Amino acid sequence: MSDKIIVSATINDEPTDMLVSQRDSLLEALRAAAGALGVKEGCNDGNCGACSVMLDGRLVNSCLVMAAEVEGSEITTVEGIADADHLHPLQQAFLEEAALQCGICTPGFLVAAKALLDENPDPSEHEIRYWLAGNLCRCTGYDKIVRAVQQAAAGTT
């Protein structure tokens, strides 16, 4: 008897059926079954934020959500932030501010920052740092990331 199930969700505005194990995390399902390779596995225990996605409008660590739980849900990954022809202002700001280095944490930071700006389009530096506290980076020192979010919020990209 197979432990595989079909989970239907809307991923980056596209209806998607995923064949997953009942034990798969959303992170595993997004990468393997949906091809969303921008969702990164960092710690796999909810501490680093590399796997951050929006699930029904809420920022979550996809490594902590079971794939079977997302039936009928709307999911946005880093691949769903930009349109086909243009980078999202956050992505452009990350490039302009050199707010990335190795890239493992970058997708999670972008999704988390977008969630912040969707909720608060004009956050203070303190609010940005607080909101992004669940995302860890070992390379950049965070200042460039904060500046990139400020730049995107100001619309100066």
Side-chain angles (χ1 to χ4, degrees):
M1 177 182 243
S2 173
D3 73 339
K4 299 276 185 177
I5 60 171
I6 295 175
V7 174
S8 298
T10 301
I11 302 172
N12 300 325
D13 297 323
E14 293 290 327
T16 305
D17 291 331
M18 300 179 287
L19 182 62
V20 300
S21 164
Q22 293 182 39
R23 291 175 297 245
D24 283 349
S25 68
L26 178 57
L27 166 64
E28 294 164 324
L30 287 171
R31 289 184 58 81
L37 300 180
V39 182
K40 301 298 185 194
E41 180 179 341
C43 64
N44 208 27
D45 62 13
N47 285 306
C48 75
C51 66
S52 296
V53 299
M54 294 295 294
L55 174 62
D56 294 327
R58 222 174 100 231
L59 183 65
V60 299
N61 290 326
S62 62
C63 68
L64 298 179
V65 176
M66 299 304 296
E69 294 179 296
V70 302
E71 177 68 34
S73 292
E74 299 234 356
I75 301 163
T76 303
T77 70
V78 70
E79 290 92 347
I81 291 177
D83 66 34
D85 298 325
H86 299 91
L87 293 176
H88 185 277
L90 274 166
Q91 293 168 313
Q92 187 64 43
F94 266 61
L95 287 174
E96 290 173 10
E97 291 293 329
L100 54 111
Q101 287 183 20
C102 80
I104 295 296
C105 68
T106 306
F109 269 106
L110 286 166
V111 171
K114 176 146 181 358
L116 167 61
L117 295 181
D118 286 350
E119 186 170 306
N120 178 1
D122 188 26
S124 68
E125 179 180 342
H126 177 77
E127 290 168 321
I128 294 168
R129 289 182 183 278
Y130 182 81
W131 189 276
L132 298 180
N135 295 77
L136 302 179
C137 177
R138 295 180 180 194
C139 303
T140 65
Y142 301 98
D143 288 334
K144 292 178 179 183
I145 294 169
V146 171
R147 281 197 307 268
V149 176
Q150 289 172 318
Q151 179 179 325
T156 57
T157 57

